[in-house]
Amino acid sequence: CRIWHIVLEKYDEIIKGGLPHMAHELWKYCALSLPPSSFINGNADVSLAYLDSESPLLNTFADAFLEPTEKRRNYAVLGSNRYFPKTMHGSFLSLSPSNAATVARKILKLIVETDLTVLGTSALLIPSALYSLVKYELVGTEIEDEEESGGGSSLKPGVYSAKNGEEWVLLEQNCHNNPFLDVSISEGNRRSTHSCPSQIGHCCDVSDPTSSSVVFLTKHPLLPYQLLPPQSLLPRPYAIDRSNEVNTLYQTEVFDEDYLPFIATMRE
């Protein structure tokens, strides 16, 4: 990155803030935004691609994404329209140098300039921003923007012509369970939301509309996922069960975790 010192400062801030998954996003978009001069021999024909390490391909990468086409192709994954409409899923992104200079760098700038609290609590910040940036690069989406203002539909999976003469292939994510009903998965002293139950494994797949086939699997209905702090750091609900006679200390009293979503922190 040309702004290495700013990015490194933000990286340190994110790590100290306990958001390692967002530090990963910062690194990802920094790498994707590299100019052609950073490539081997300055080859401007090289595309930059990111694939989530926990998302297994069902075919080779070359067979799935590097087949010769008439126009240069960029790839992105539409988030589940049922659960996360108008978002992009962060499991896979392939960009030409032209789009690396626009799409990736704008997301990088967004992460660097966004407050740590917002990064940690706004789960749809990056997926929604990426969706808007990709849509802006497509030909003919101005009409859809007018339709959406009147309650129209989101982008559909398929091949789109881009304003720079290239193409965008929008893959489709499909989830086979409701991510809002699943129990969060423990990650050390943190809990991740919107993750596939461990007994299921990969509960979502990503399909290519050009071949009508599944190209890889993912166990994250939303990516980047969101981390919740450990229960010990959450505010206590008002409706504490005070029938626990063994120990009346506040720290050990029993409460119903179902009340947690309704907590409000009040200050004078």
Side-chain angles (χ1 to χ4, degrees):
C1 294
R2 296 180 179 179
I3 51 172
W4 265 116
H5 64 289
I6 300 177
V7 174
L8 287 175
E9 288 177 1
K10 189 66 177 184
Y11 182 89
D12 291 339
E13 178 188 357
I14 291 174
I15 291 296
K16 291 179 181 178
L19 300 174
H21 64 304
M22 294 308 301
H24 181 89
E25 291 298 302
L26 181 69
W27 171 87
K28 176 173 79 176
Y29 286 102
C30 184
L32 287 173
S33 65
L34 291 173
S37 59
S38 302
F39 304 158
I40 298 175
N41 299 324
N43 187 357
D45 292 329
V46 176
S47 291
L48 293 167
Y50 168 86
L51 177 65
D52 175 42
S53 62
E54 295 182 323
S55 300
L57 284 165
L58 301 187
N59 207 334
T60 66
F61 188 90
D63 289 340
F65 305 113
L66 299 181
E67 289 293 329
T69 55
E70 184 177 341
K71 293 183 179 181
R72 187 168 196 163
R73 287 187 167 179
N74 302 269
Y75 289 85
V77 180
L78 287 169
S80 171
N81 193 52
R82 180 179 182 183
Y83 300 115
F84 306 107
K86 300 178 184 178
T87 65
M88 290 293 180
H89 192 263
S91 55
F92 177 59
L93 187 63
S94 179
L95 303 173
S96 68
S98 173
N99 286 299
T102 54
V103 175
R105 289 184 195 176
K106 288 181 179 179
I107 295 294
L108 176 65
K109 185 174 184 289
L110 173 67
I111 298 174
V112 169
E113 295 180 350
T114 300
D115 182 77
L116 197 62
T117 301
V118 177
L119 287 177
T121 57
S122 182
L124 297 181
L125 175 69
I126 295 177
S128 297
L130 183 58
Y131 176 92
S132 297
L133 288 171
V134 171
K135 186 175 182 180
Y136 179 78
E137 299 296 324
L138 308 181
V139 174
T141 54
E142 297 83 359
I143 299 176
E144 291 189 12
D145 285 334
E146 295 177 2
E147 293 177 350
E148 286 188 13
S149 64
S153 60
S154 307
L155 289 173
K156 300 293 190 296
V159 182
Y160 291 80
S161 295
K163 295 174 182 177
N164 63 357
E166 300 176 351
E167 288 182 335
W168 276 90
V169 180
L170 300 186
L171 309 178
E172 180 181 24
Q173 180 202 26
N174 298 288
C175 291
H176 308 289
N177 65 311
N178 188 338
F180 297 103
L181 298 180
D182 296 330
V183 179
S184 59
I185 297 177
S186 175
E187 294 193 352
N189 64 342
R190 296 278 175 158
R191 295 175 296 156
S192 63
T193 63
H194 315 312
S195 295
C196 300
S198 57
Q199 65 271 23
I200 295 179
H202 299 85
C203 63
C204 301
D205 60 59
V206 174
S207 59
D208 185 348
T210 64
S211 61
S212 301
S213 61
V214 174
V215 287
F216 64 87
L217 308 176
T218 176
K219 63 180 182 180
H220 296 292
L222 181 66
L223 198 65
Y225 51 81
Q226 187 179 27
L227 289 181
L228 298 177
Q231 294 184 20
S232 60
L233 297 182
L234 293 175
R236 295 286 180 129
Y238 178 78
I240 291 179
D241 181 3
R242 300 186 181 279
S243 62
N244 180 16
E245 298 179 356
V246 176
N247 194 327
T248 58
L249 291 176
Y250 179 76
Q251 290 83 352
T252 58
E253 290 177 334
V254 178
F255 62 90
D256 188 346
E257 192 171 345
D258 290 340
Y259 286 102
L260 292 181
F262 307 101
I263 295 175
T265 301
M266 306 180 68
R267 297 182 176 87
E268 293 184 356

